[in-house]
Amino acid sequence: MNFARGLAACAAPLLLVACAAFTVEHQPPAPAFDILGRMLVSNEGRAFSSNFRWRHVVDNDEIWLMSPVGQTLAYIVADDTGATLKSADQQEYQAMSVESLTRRALGWPLPLDRLQYWIAGTTAPGTAAVKVGRDAQGRLEALEQHGWHILYAYPEPGAGGQPRRLDMTQQGQQIRIIIDQWRGGVGP
């Protein structure tokens, strides 16, 4: 009898841990936004630059990567069912995430699931930030999360508002995002 109680006492915490592993953590949605900007990506000795428009609403993202004259180079749509990229030559790629989709179609991963938070000047849920640096107004200046190191720049020192530039690095990959205009949702 004592052996059965001891076994049950040892098994109960393991059962609770196993059940906890199967619970789905609810992550708050990133705020909606519609932004225009420019992107420069450097990865494995190759560089990519484009203008972009990114429209984000809860559970849906649309990204247009465009040439300087406005021609769409790639159109990306992502929701909770997966991601699709259509190139300028009408080739279509599909994947479960934008990160794996852009890695396959463009040669570099775009961490969109976390970037939708980072671009708004907040940490992404689900993974603890290793380092967080804030300015005197409490805005993110530097962030290290999920293997990415991010530096922020704002329109004016001491002024409020959303980030104007993000410089992101991870294992030799660099992404610079310059935001020219915040339209709707967060931002001015």
Side-chain angles (χ1 to χ4, degrees):
M1 186 66 110
N2 284 340
F3 175 74
R5 274 192 214 153
L7 185 60
C10 290
L14 293 175
L15 183 59
L16 289 174
V17 168
C19 290
F22 290 108
T23 60
V24 176
E25 179 183 326
H26 176 71
Q27 297 182 359
F33 55 80
D34 188 354
I35 57 177
L36 299 173
R38 295 165 279 149
M39 179 183 302
L40 174 63
V41 179
S42 174
N43 186 34
E44 298 178 0
R46 294 178 291 168
F48 171 85
S49 66
S50 77
N51 295 332
F52 73 91
R53 177 180 179 196
W54 179 6
R55 185 169 50 207
H56 169 78
V57 294
V58 177
D59 296 330
N60 188 301
D61 288 282
E62 289 181 276
I63 300 171
W64 293 263
L65 300 176
M66 299 170 287
S67 71
V69 295
Q71 178 187 9
T72 300
L73 304 171
Y75 173 64
I76 302 169
V77 178
D79 59 26
D80 57 356
T81 63
T84 303
L85 181 146
K86 186 177 277 188
S87 65
D89 60 1
Q90 300 304 307
Q91 287 189 339
E92 193 168 294
Y93 301 86
Q94 294 183 335
M96 291 306 297
S97 72
V98 170
E99 191 164 359
S100 61
L101 177 72
T102 54
R103 179 181 288 120
R104 192 173 86 223
L106 303 175
W108 48 271
L110 180 65
L112 192 74
D113 288 346
R114 291 168 300 282
L115 186 56
Q116 60 188 282
Y117 295 92
W118 296 338
I119 204 152
T122 63
T123 60
T127 305
V130 177
K131 296 179 185 175
V132 176
R134 297 193 181 274
D135 65 11
Q137 286 73 38
R139 302 175 301 188
L140 279 177
E141 279 187 319
L143 172 65
E144 192 171 321
Q145 188 176 28
H146 202 72
W148 285 91
H149 180 72
I150 305 150
L151 297 175
Y152 289 84
Y154 293 87
E156 298 174 22
Q162 298 300 323
R164 165 91 171 144
R165 189 177 87 205
L166 283 74
D167 289 307
M168 304 169 44
T169 57
Q170 180 191 47
Q171 299 174 350
Q173 179 179 349
Q174 298 176 335
I175 300 175
R176 173 172 284 171
I177 298 174
I178 299 171
I179 301 159
D180 295 320
Q181 185 179 9
W182 286 90
R183 304 177 343 164
V186 298

